[in-house]
Structure formats: structure tokens, C-alpha cells
Amino acid sequence: MSFSVKTLTAAATLLVSALTSTGVLAHAHLTSAEPAPQSQITVAPAQLTLHFSEDLEPSFSGATLTHQGDKTVSTGKASLSSQGKNTLVLPLDTPLSAGKYQVAWHALSVDGHRTTGSYTFTLK
């Protein structure tokens, strides 16, 4: 039985894709947040809520909030939401003032993979 080069190439590509995609899916990626990334809001939130694609290890996951690029905002301890182990809640200790904020997050999924990222939002 003979196979064409095109068929063998397609089969090899499919195999490599299948073997590597499971590792990518195991990482906790930010899927949404409140306030949303790049949003402009008019009401100051009482907390940040970060939703991930995987369940998290709360002791090794968290976020830092900075205002205008260099002023760290005081927050409470990050914890998992009662609605799911893939949602991290970060209470804010004081009301936010107008300006641009950056959320820098780090997450450890329950299978041991660590991810990091950041996004901004603006309070008018």
C-alpha cells in the first residue's frame, strides 16, 4: 500500500497538533474579567473578578493593581469565588479614583502550570 506525500504530511501535521494541543489546554488562561480588559467604566468596582480557563491553586494565584502606571493599589487577599474554582476574586481595600489601572495577574492551574498576564481598564 502506498501513501502520497500529501497524505503523509497531513497525517504528521494532525499528529503533532494533537500531541501539542493538550499541553496548551492545561494552562489557566484569562477568559474574562470584571472590570473587562480595555474597558472604560464610570462606577468604581469593589473587587476585581478574573475568570480562567482552568481551576486554580488559590495559594499561588493572585493579582496586583496599579494606578497611573506606578502607584500600587491596596487590595485584600485573592480568593476563589464560591461560584467556581476557576474564578479569582481580589477585593479592593479602598475606593478607586479616576484614571487608568493595570491588572497584573499570575495563575497556577491545579495541574501545576503557571501563567501570567496583564490588562488595563480606565475609570472615568
Side-chain angles (χ1 to χ4, degrees), residues 77-99:
K77 183 178 178 180
S79 63
L80 295 181
S81 168
S82 60
Q83 297 178 349
K85 294 180 181 181
N86 67 331
T87 301
L88 194 66
V89 177
L90 185 71
L92 303 177
D93 289 342
T94 59
L96 301 181
S97 57

Side-chain angles (χ1 to χ4, degrees), residues 5-123:
V5 171
K6 191 175 189 179
T7 302
L8 289 174
T9 302
T13 301
L14 182 61
L15 179 62
V16 169
S17 176
L19 292 174
T20 58
S21 66
T22 56
V24 173
L25 293 175
H27 292 68
H29 298 284
L30 185 68
T31 58
S32 65
E34 293 94 37
Q38 287 67 53
S39 63
Q40 293 187 11
I41 59 174
T42 56
V43 176
Q47 65 186 22
L48 302 179
T49 305
L50 309 175
H51 304 276
F52 291 89
S53 59
E54 300 288 325
D55 288 351
L56 304 175
E57 289 289 351
S59 299
F60 301 101
S61 301
T64 303
L65 182 64
T66 55
H67 182 232
Q68 302 296 101
D70 63 345
K71 299 174 192 144
T72 302
V73 176
S74 177
T75 64
K77 183 178 178 180
S79 63
L80 295 181
S81 168
S82 60
Q83 297 178 349
K85 294 180 181 181
N86 67 331
T87 301
L88 194 66
V89 177
L90 185 71
L92 303 177
D93 289 342
T94 59
L96 301 181
S97 57
K100 187 172 185 175
Y101 290 86
Q102 180 174 10
V103 179
W105 57 267
H106 59 277
L108 181 69
S109 60
V110 292
D111 63 1
H113 292 108
R114 183 177 166 85
T115 53
T116 62
S118 66
Y119 71 90
T120 61
F121 68 89
T122 302
L123 176 61

